[in-house]
Amino acid sequence: MAKAKRHGQCGTGSVEQESRKPGAVSPVRSLGLRRGIFGAQLQEVSASLRRADILVFALILGIGAFHFYYTARARDFTGDDVFWADSARSLIQHGYYGINGYAEANMSPGLPAIFSLLCLAGACSHVVCLRTMVVFGTLGFLASYELLRRQVPRGIAAAICLLLISSRVYFDLVTQQVWPCYPYFFTSIGALLVARKFEKARCFTSRIGWGALLTALIAASVMIASVGIAFLAAIAASIAVCFLRDRRLAVARLKTYLTVLLLGIAVQGLWANRGLADASAGIAASEWPLPGFPRSYLSQLGVKWGNYPEGGMATPRDIAVRILNNACDYTNLVGRMLLQRMPDLTGMSIFIAGPLFLIALGCFYSIWPKGGDMQDWYFAGFGLIYFLWPWNADVRFLLPISPIACLYMWRGGEALVFLAKNKPRVLGIVWCLLAVILGAGTLLWMRESAIDSHLARPGLEDEVSFVFWLLSAILAGWMIWKDAGWLTLASALSRWYSRPISALRISTVRISQLLGIVVVPSLIVFGLTIQLGTGRDNLDLDSATNQPGPDAKAGAWIRSHTDTNAVVMARQVPTVCHYSERKVFWFPPISKPQVLMEGILKHGIQFVIVVRRENNFYLPAENHCFAPLLKAHADVFRLVCQRPEFSVFQVVKNAASTDNRTVLRGG
């Protein structure tokens, strides 16, 4: 019993226990809120199941069923997500995880393992794979609501989950593309939910059961996506911080999580060792002399920009700018998911800087008072991994933590109210500094964009942001000057805000609540309406969504016009390999003709596919890389196929091949 009370000092329930002491004033009560700012360390807001929860579960399941029906009907995969299905078939047919004759050493094998089970059951078509993703995504949102409703009021938890699942950003992703983020979303949120049960379990049998389930979910998360290592780092960080406060408590926490931590490390270690063995077996030999991908995560961090590896290695300043840009980009994605539509904004915009500040503040105040729990450190670790990631922001990276990000945004608002009441001068100093910096940045951006025609023209959101930062700086300066004295005016404004309007006999607070009740369902209905329009395109076999892309068409041409032993170079290896059924080497984003030519001769490449794209994931684009190569070695390449979207060149003078002219069939 004494150990349980001591455990509350650094784990769950500490703040609530202190607030129950005679004469103690709870920070929750001082805010006038049902939920305080200290995260999972406070009591659960709504642990018992109610009718409202059943209604939310039913709505999430209903939207999930809608997504299940409106998945894309393409007869086959149209993009590089075919890698996951083909590597699953490779597991069954050849006994190794990978494609194109090489074992995969970078991406975790969890999703191909799931697909291999579907294939063994005779159900591994494109539509089945997409619907499996929808099922995992829906389960993820069900688990998210169950996790969030224990930490924030039910209405907030329901609004977060329903707005996210009804967004077009999520719908386009889950009904058209296969990625590991969906099963990882479910297993990771499930692990956070089970961790709360595990920490509160007092019965030995319950602890064994919840501990085994937690271990299985963390192991599954690590096997599905390498970012699952954030769980192991979160456990270690929570124990380390606890050790600085109470060594005996840290030892007790270490004993609690030791088995989970060791098994998670073992799973990660086995996969990492297998990846190194596969790399030494042949993958490394096929790499081009190019930094970044396909090398390890740590190696990729050294590149200035992953999408443009020829841009060189990053400096400390580049990394700092990268972290800031990624933070703004992912915050913008959260806004797109919540508000359904949102223009591209700069980091100085109130619609970006505001939510980002609230998320950071909410996470900080969840960790700071008592050291945080596994959820807090997991979110921080996950965010750090992708803030450092030198690639363009993508919603599939954000999805697994999007509900938690919204949770911390809410907590950040609570923390802001708490600081305004109890630490107004500290808040004023920080707020004034940020407002001045962001206001000056917004003004400079508006001036530069008005002069430079290459920049986007300043819009209404820029003007609103500048006015907001100006007024914020004035208000923050007043808070610094008045300190606690500003609460007199704030209290008067609060009383006025709560006072009923004589004509309507209803308070402004009530009007605001009713407005929120109207706005949130309207956004959900608006999002579902947009999803319905996209869903109809998904069902139309003749729509652009269900048509193979230029890489697939080029691969099909290769299969019908070349011998089975032909060797091809293409930018999108999984797609071309799937459709061509030939050996495919990656067309790297290298603009140096000599380097490309050496690679072509080294690997015995006989055909080069050059695709003209509107949007290129890698830079320079294929045509920009191939043009100087063709100019320097015009006698080596012969155009054998010319289509509006792609061209195919045959290598007619390749020292690694005895007779390339016999490879081409059918003219």
Side-chain angles (χ1 to χ4, degrees):
M1 188 69 177
K3 183 182 292 185
K5 290 183 178 179
R6 188 182 299 116
H7 181 73
Q9 295 174 7
C10 197
T12 58
S14 60
V15 175
E16 182 193 2
Q17 290 171 0
E18 293 178 3
S19 67
R20 290 179 178 176
K21 296 178 181 178
V25 179
S26 169
V28 181
R29 190 171 301 170
S30 68
L31 276 170
L33 299 170
R34 296 179 59 193
R35 177 72 176 176
I37 63 173
F38 301 111
Q41 298 167 11
L42 292 178
Q43 65 178 349
E44 293 186 345
V45 174
S46 49
S48 60
L49 193 66
R50 299 179 182 175
R51 292 181 181 179
D53 301 323
I54 297 175
L55 175 61
V56 176
F57 288 141
L59 289 174
I60 293 175
L61 286 172
I63 296 175
F66 171 76
H67 295 171
F68 188 89
Y69 176 75
Y70 279 103
T71 51
R73 293 298 197 274
R75 296 180 178 87
D76 203 349
F77 289 86
T78 60
D80 270 1
D81 56 340
V82 70
F83 165 82
W84 308 106
D86 282 353
S87 57
R89 298 185 185 100
S90 177
L91 276 173
I92 298 173
Q93 298 171 4
H94 306 295
Y96 74 92
Y97 161 52
I99 62 169
N100 201 31
Y102 289 120
E104 174 59 39
N106 284 325
M107 293 175 285
S108 302
L111 183 57
I114 295 172
F115 283 165
S116 65
L117 297 177
L118 294 177
C119 291
L120 289 174
C124 59
S125 66
H126 179 229
V127 174
V128 170
C129 290
L130 285 176
R131 286 179 169 173
T132 303
M133 300 299 96
V134 170
V135 170
F136 277 117
T138 304
L139 291 174
F141 279 111
L142 290 172
S144 296
Y145 176 71
E146 184 67 15
L147 178 68
L148 265 58
R149 77 178 181 87
R150 298 168 182 272
Q151 303 179 57
V152 296
R154 280 180 168 85
I156 302 301
I160 290 172
C161 294
L162 292 174
L163 284 172
L164 292 175
I165 196 175
S166 64
S167 68
R168 178 177 181 175
V169 174
Y170 172 74
F171 180 80
D172 290 351
L173 188 73
V174 77
T175 62
Q176 297 177 5
Q177 299 179 41
V178 170
W179 295 109
C181 60
Y182 315 110
Y184 180 81
F185 178 34
F186 169 60
T187 57
S188 61
I189 296 295
L192 295 176
L193 183 60
V194 170
R196 298 175 67 85
K197 296 285 189 180
F198 176 58
E199 290 187 356
K200 293 182 178 181
R202 293 293 176 261
C203 174
F204 177 77
T205 305
S206 298
R207 290 184 66 81
I208 292 296
W210 289 119
L213 182 56
L214 176 61
T215 303
L217 288 170
I218 290 180
S221 299
V222 170
M223 291 301 292
I224 292 172
S226 56
V227 72
I229 197 174
F231 277 110
L232 308 181
I235 295 174
S238 62
I239 294 173
V241 173
C242 199
F243 181 81
L244 298 175
R245 297 172 177 269
D246 189 329
R247 294 187 178 183
R248 288 181 297 177
L249 178 57
V251 172
R253 190 171 182 83
L254 176 60
K255 291 179 180 178
T256 300
Y257 276 101
L258 183 60
T259 303
V260 179
L261 184 61
L262 291 179
L263 289 178
I265 293 174
V267 171
Q268 178 65 29
L270 288 173
W271 161 239
N273 288 334
R274 181 187 179 279
L276 290 174
D278 291 338
S280 62
I283 289 183
S286 66
E287 293 180 357
W288 296 81
L290 195 69
F293 181 83
R295 304 179 191 276
S296 67
Y297 171 80
L298 293 177
S299 298
Q300 294 179 51
L301 292 183
V303 180
K304 185 174 182 178
W305 184 19
N307 303 81
Y308 183 48
E310 280 194 330
M313 307 305 290
T315 64
R317 179 182 180 278
D318 294 329
I319 295 176
V321 172
R322 176 198 303 170
I323 293 174
L324 182 60
N325 288 338
N326 284 341
C328 293
D329 289 343
Y330 282 112
T331 305
N332 194 9
L333 282 176
V334 172
R336 287 175 182 270
M337 296 182 73
L338 291 176
L339 302 178
Q340 310 302 343
R341 286 183 178 179
M342 193 171 177
D344 291 326
L345 303 172
T346 65
M348 283 79 72
S349 170
I350 178 58
F351 303 105
I352 299 296
L356 179 58
F357 174 75
L358 290 178
I359 292 172
L361 182 62
C363 185
F364 174 78
Y365 264 90
S366 296
I367 294 175
W368 176 254
K370 296 296 179 180
D373 62 3
M374 190 172 74
Q375 175 183 294
D376 302 323
W377 287 108
Y378 167 75
F379 179 80
F382 190 104
L384 179 62
I385 288 173
Y386 281 112
F387 285 175
L388 288 171
W389 194 230
W391 300 82
N392 293 338
D394 197 307
V395 68
R396 58 193 170 97
F397 301 145
L398 172 69
L399 175 64
I401 61 165
S402 55
I404 309 177
C406 297
L407 164 68
Y408 286 118
M409 193 186 305
W410 171 262
R411 286 185 184 172
E414 291 183 337
L416 202 62
V417 175
F418 178 81
L419 290 173
K421 293 186 66 174
N422 297 275
K423 299 289 184 180
R425 181 161 289 172
V426 174
L427 177 62
I429 293 173
V430 176
W431 192 295
C432 184
L433 181 63
L434 288 175
V436 170
I437 294 174
L438 293 172
T442 303
L443 182 61
L444 290 175
W445 162 258
M446 293 171 63
R447 291 184 59 184
E448 290 180 5
S449 58
I451 297 173
D452 192 344
S453 59
H454 295 88
L455 298 176
R457 307 299 294 177
L460 178 61
E461 65 276 0
D462 296 311
E463 299 171 356
V464 171
S465 297
F466 175 72
V467 173
F468 179 85
W469 297 129
L470 179 61
L471 295 177
S472 295
I474 296 174
L475 176 61
W478 186 47
M479 291 175 65
I480 297 172
W481 180 39
K482 290 290 187 179
D483 195 16
W486 90 282
L487 293 175
T488 303
L489 178 59
S491 300
L493 291 175
S494 178
R495 289 192 298 270
W496 171 84
Y497 187 66
S498 304
R499 185 183 305 165
I501 300 175
S502 57
L504 300 177
R505 295 184 178 276
I506 185 173
S507 67
T508 310
V509 175
R510 190 61 177 171
I511 294 177
S512 301
Q513 293 173 344
L514 293 175
L515 183 62
I517 293 174
V518 171
V519 169
V520 172
S522 298
L523 287 174
I524 295 172
V525 172
F526 178 65
L528 292 175
T529 303
I530 298 176
Q531 289 185 3
L532 181 61
T534 306
R536 289 170 179 166
D537 291 335
N538 288 345
L539 299 182
D540 184 5
L541 293 177
D542 296 326
S543 66
T545 301
N546 294 314
Q547 297 303 309
D551 297 274
K553 295 177 181 178
W557 187 94
I558 290 290
R559 183 174 60 181
S560 62
H561 290 78
T562 66
D563 292 338
T564 56
N565 61 347
V567 181
V568 183
M569 186 170 78
R571 180 61 57 89
Q572 291 190 337
V573 174
T575 305
V576 174
C577 183
H578 176 78
Y579 279 90
S580 68
E581 299 180 358
R582 303 292 188 266
K583 182 69 175 180
V584 182
F585 282 89
W586 184 38
F587 190 154
I590 297 177
S591 59
K592 299 177 181 178
Q594 187 60 31
V595 176
L596 285 176
M597 196 64 219
E598 289 176 359
I600 289 173
L601 296 176
K602 174 184 176 181
H603 302 305
I605 294 170
Q606 299 163 329
F607 293 91
V608 180
I609 295 176
V610 181
V611 176
R612 290 169 287 276
R613 313 175 194 275
E614 293 183 2
N615 299 307
N616 289 276
F617 183 76
Y618 281 105
L619 297 173
E622 294 113 300
N623 52 335
H624 294 160
C625 293
F626 189 75
L629 176 64
L630 181 62
K631 182 178 180 180
H633 303 278
D635 58 334
V636 175
F637 301 97
R638 178 165 65 95
L639 181 65
V640 293
C641 178
Q642 179 69 54
R643 301 289 169 80
E645 299 170 303
F646 68 90
S647 301
V648 180
F649 292 86
Q650 184 183 13
V651 183
V652 296
K653 290 185 178 181
N654 190 339
S657 178
T658 56
D659 188 4
N660 283 283
R661 289 174 294 179
T662 62
V663 178
L664 188 63
R665 301 185 315 201

